[in-house]
Amino acid sequence: MATRARLSLTDLTFAALRQQKREQRERRLIFGPDYEDNGLVFDTPDGTIWNPERLRSAYRSFAKRHGIRPLA
């Protein structure tokens, strides 16, 4: 059986997670039966898992545009 951890979240973090959940519900309606519900918090528009390389590339582009030093 998996162990569950308790986390303390700021109001801002909690609000962002609620917004993410709302957006997922909207996408489920748009995609209908083509939406793949994997129980993910952050998924692609059709509910599938992000390709790690594509996510890494998007992060690097974001970091460069905003003057943030990339993690790796």
Side-chain angles (χ1 to χ4, degrees):
M1 184 170 177
T3 303
R4 292 184 178 216
R6 290 186 178 256
L7 300 174
S8 295
L9 302 176
T10 65
D11 290 341
L12 182 62
T13 302
F14 194 66
L17 290 169
R18 277 196 311 257
Q19 178 64 30
Q20 176 66 10
K21 188 75 165 173
R22 278 192 292 273
E23 291 173 11
Q24 282 179 327
R25 281 194 298 265
E26 290 172 9
R27 291 195 320 265
R28 268 192 205 100
L29 291 174
I30 292 167
F31 278 86
D34 292 331
Y35 184 84
E36 191 175 311
D37 189 354
N38 291 298
L40 302 170
V41 174
F42 299 103
D43 55 2
T44 63
D46 68 353
T48 56
I49 192 167
W50 282 94
N51 173 297
E53 186 51 43
R54 187 168 181 192
L55 187 58
R56 190 176 300 112
S57 175
Y59 172 75
R60 285 182 184 142
S61 294
F62 175 86
K64 186 175 183 178
R65 278 194 317 273
H66 296 281
I68 300 169
R69 191 179 82 215
L71 297 174

